[in-house]
Amino acid sequence: MNDPSTFAATEPDDREEPDGSPHPGPAQEAEAGVPPRTAAARRPRSGALRHVLRRPVAAALLFCGALHLPVEAAAPAVMTPADFLPLPVALVCLGLGAVLAVRDTPVVWRSVAVAALGLVTLHVWGGVALFDPLEGAVGGPFAWAGITVVLSAAACAVLAGVALMDRPARAGGPSRRA
């Protein structure tokens, strides 16, 4: 009675497809004339690529956040308003990196993509306006830190886009990857 195959054959399948439509259960597949093993083999594994990319992207975001941590957060009297910029950037990067490390949802991936693009934009705009976004931060004294942050954030944005585009194909529909 506790055989998993018996349970799977008698219980309805309440999973959903990525577009929100209900996933066809074994009974519906049997009615459609699909053999059970073929149906199980055709079922897509949702989020497999996102799961693989999650830890490297989270590590890159945490690294970018660590480079933006302010050196002296206890000296606000001598800081200009521009000197406060690394702190919110560090908090956003560290927060999203931590959330991505534990949650693999499209909303988190979209947030990571937006934050990474914003970080790249901030550093590019800083280079054009002769403003260093890492001034007063842990990564400020190092010449390699700015380039590393831009490349890491750009990689995060690209990988977040790849993770968002990796949606499993519907069992009966055409594949987007041709």
Side-chain angles (χ1 to χ4, degrees):
M1 184 69 185
N2 291 333
D3 184 24
S5 62
T6 306
F7 180 73
T10 59
E11 291 296 316
D13 195 358
D14 60 351
R15 291 177 290 179
E16 292 184 355
E17 292 290 326
D19 63 353
S21 64
H23 186 74
Q28 290 87 6
E29 290 170 347
E31 289 174 6
V34 178
R37 288 186 180 210
T38 307
R42 284 190 352 195
R43 273 194 201 123
R45 293 180 45 179
S46 75
L49 181 61
R50 287 193 319 212
H51 181 70
V52 170
L53 295 176
R54 185 174 69 179
R55 292 186 192 257
V57 172
L61 271 178
L62 292 172
F63 182 68
C64 289
L67 288 177
H68 281 87
L69 285 172
V71 175
E72 291 187 39
V78 295
M79 296 177 80
T80 64
D83 292 335
F84 284 106
L85 188 60
L87 181 61
V89 171
L91 291 176
V92 167
C93 289
L94 292 172
L96 282 175
V99 169
L100 183 62
V102 296
R103 303 239 350 156
D104 188 17
T105 63
V107 172
V108 173
W109 280 105
R110 285 185 196 106
S111 301
V112 166
V114 168
L117 287 174
L119 188 58
V120 170
T121 303
L122 173 71
H123 279 267
V124 168
W125 175 76
V128 170
L130 300 176
F131 166 72
D132 185 14
L134 287 174
E135 186 175 341
V138 171
F142 306 109
W144 53 265
I147 296 294
T148 304
V149 166
V150 170
L151 292 177
S152 296
C156 286
V158 169
L159 292 176
V162 168
L164 286 170
M165 293 301 292
D166 180 51
R167 294 189 180 182
R170 293 188 66 176
S175 176
R176 291 192 324 187
R177 296 179 189 148

